[in-house]
Amino acid sequence: MRDRYPLLRYTTGAALARTGDEMAGPALLLAGLAATGSSATASALLAASTAAAAVGGPVLGALLDRSARPGRLLAWSVAGYAASLLAVAVCLGRAPAAVPLLIAAGSGLLAPALSGGWTAQLPGVVERAALPRATALDAMTFHAAALAGPALTAAVAVAYGSGPAVVAAAALLALAAPAAPGTFRPRSSGPADPSACATPGTCGPATPAPSGPVAAPGTSQPAAPAPSDPAAPVPRSRRLTADVGAGFRALAGAPVLGRVTAASVVSCAGQGVLVACTPLLGERHLGGAGYGALLLAVVAAAALVGNALLARLSGAPAPEAVFRAATLLQGAALLLAAAAGHPAVLLAAVVLAGLGEGPQLTALFAVRHREAPDRLRAQVFTTGASLKISGFALGAAVAGPLADASLPGALLGAAAVQLVAVAVSAPAGPSRSGRSTGPRRPRERAGRTRGTPGPAGRPAHRPARAPQRSAGRSSYRDAGGAP
């Protein structure tokens, strides 16, 4: 039965899966602290999951690109993530500390399926004309999950305990898993347009390819292999390491994609600084460190509003320009937060940060969809997500010592990081002389046609007559016969 609402199924599944993922981090922290009484063990659970996600993204993306049915692999990855969370909840306090840590690391290997792996399948869900709007809706699910996930974790933990909070996160992931295979269409080897068939009846079911080399007509020698289709799945005979390397080369080989990806990693480091500083901001301006979570909720809500406004624009600018403007807005928000002396100013700063964060993510997805090769799309998305996770973790790690020394100084440093991200994303400009450094077009020979008037005071232009050559003389001698 054909799915009439593929985008609705996609968005619903993405929202459920990403909300479960946003619940998983705080739930693991609470469950680890309640079961062991050690904050070090609790933070180690989250660190193991985050670090594994940075490593597992490229590998999972390569596997998705090699799969003929990536939706099915995606569903199993989400289900495996849910099962891993349940296993961590069961092992906490009942097994040695190393066991839940290893299981948490295994769950982190599958976490990129919820971000880059899921988003990479969006071009198979909607038509190309609807892709910008669908990309904005997809980015909104991230911010909606960031807003709802921690709140649901807190509500379940207060009402039932930290263990049921982990179970609730796993339940949302399990509910999202069936949406993947029903939403994404399998790759087909035939042409998508029926008019591409040369003759009627040639677009039927494809005949299986022979396993061995095919001999050329009239000879016993094998024919040369046909050139590979760049949109076809990656051959399974290739090594997985080669596929992972191809994903990194695709990021580095495309100038626009490489610049925007590098800028997103740098910008994520600045976002990590802001997140790490929110408890201190809440303690200094709002009366308690616990209110810092409210600042993150305000950022997520403002990001939703920013994406909603961007989705309603009929003539939106290029995604690269949106990315730079959104990153610059986040830098201005961090400057305002560093100078905040009143809670209202701080709230205005975090609202500006969210208004920049939402469109920035949408623009990043738009550039990836446009620039990524079809056969490496999942690798580009998951590798980019892993790099962003690494940048976020680095920024959060550096922010602790900086904020202890000077909270405004840490926020000013984060603002400088956002400005660096803007510079990294900027295209190559003109040379110092102001002239463009690109190749010049050949100049056409200018001239006036016969009879057109020349400049003032000069006679009309008349083409010079070719000299007459005397008969019997050589073409390389002058009138006097001298060579």
Side-chain angles (χ1 to χ4, degrees):
M1 177 175 165
R2 182 171 176 172
D3 188 3
R4 296 179 59 188
Y5 306 102
L7 183 58
L8 178 60
R9 287 175 55 86
Y10 174 95
T11 308
T12 303
L16 288 173
R18 289 160 183 169
T19 302
D21 185 37
E22 291 291 340
M23 290 184 66
L28 286 176
L29 284 173
L30 293 174
L33 184 61
T36 64
S38 171
S39 59
T41 302
S43 60
L45 284 173
L46 183 59
S49 177
T50 304
V55 175
V59 178
L60 182 60
L63 292 174
L64 287 171
D65 284 329
R66 291 161 67 94
S67 175
R69 297 186 66 91
R72 182 174 297 176
L73 177 59
L74 202 59
W76 281 109
S77 300
V78 175
Y81 187 19
S84 300
L85 291 178
L86 291 177
V88 171
V90 171
C91 293
L92 277 173
R94 299 180 179 89
V99 176
L101 285 175
L102 289 176
I103 299 175
S107 68
L109 292 173
L110 302 174
L114 310 179
S115 54
W118 202 290
T119 303
Q121 313 305 321
L122 186 56
V125 178
V126 297
E127 301 296 333
R128 183 177 295 273
L131 188 58
R133 177 177 175 271
T135 301
L137 292 175
D138 182 47
M140 290 174 67
T141 62
F142 283 92
H143 302 296
L147 181 62
L152 287 175
T153 300
V156 175
V158 169
Y160 303 102
S162 57
V166 179
V167 175
L172 288 181
L173 292 168
L175 287 175
T183 301
F184 311 134
R185 297 190 295 265
R187 293 189 178 100
S188 60
S189 58
D193 187 2
S195 62
C197 303
T199 58
T202 59
C203 286
T207 57
S211 58
V214 181
T219 66
S220 59
Q221 299 295 329
S228 59
D229 182 8
V234 179
R236 298 186 182 183
S237 58
R238 288 181 56 180
R239 292 184 177 180
L240 185 62
T241 54
D243 295 339
V244 172
F248 281 101
R249 287 193 297 272
L251 284 173
V256 176
L257 181 60
R259 287 198 307 266
V260 174
T261 299
S264 69
V265 176
V266 176
S267 179
C268 244
Q271 294 171 6
V273 174
L274 176 61
V275 170
C277 291
T278 51
L280 295 177
L281 288 172
E283 184 178 9
R284 177 172 296 187
H285 297 286
L286 302 177
Y291 291 103
L294 294 179
L295 297 178
L296 296 179
V298 172
V299 171
L304 281 173
V305 174
N307 271 334
L309 294 176
L310 183 64
R312 294 180 65 87
L313 289 179
S314 57
E320 302 94 313
V322 173
F323 182 92
R324 288 193 294 272
T327 307
L328 188 62
L329 185 60
Q330 292 181 68
L334 288 166
L335 288 175
L336 186 60
H342 192 273
V345 179
L346 178 61
L347 289 176
V350 295
V351 167
L352 284 179
L355 290 175
E357 188 175 318
Q360 184 197 51
L361 185 62
T362 302
L364 175 63
F365 286 169
V367 171
R368 288 178 182 172
H369 281 307
R370 187 190 67 194
E371 300 289 333
D374 289 339
R375 69 183 185 89
L376 299 174
R377 185 178 302 275
Q379 293 181 68
V380 167
F381 272 87
T382 55
T383 303
S386 298
L387 293 174
K388 287 185 64 179
I389 291 172
S390 302
F392 185 91
L394 179 61
V398 173
L402 290 179
D404 288 338
S406 172
L407 180 59
L411 294 172
L412 288 175
V417 169
Q418 297 292 353
L419 295 180
V420 171
V422 174
V424 171
S425 65
S431 62
R432 293 183 180 179
S433 62
R435 298 180 180 179
S436 175
T437 56
R440 296 184 178 181
R441 298 179 57 185
R443 295 179 59 182
E444 297 181 358
R445 186 182 298 273
R448 292 185 295 270
T449 58
R450 184 174 183 178
T452 56
R458 294 187 181 182
H461 169 73
R462 299 181 184 277
R465 295 183 179 181
Q468 298 292 333
R469 189 175 59 186
S470 301
R473 296 183 180 270
S474 173
S475 60
Y476 61 89
R477 295 177 181 272
D478 60 8

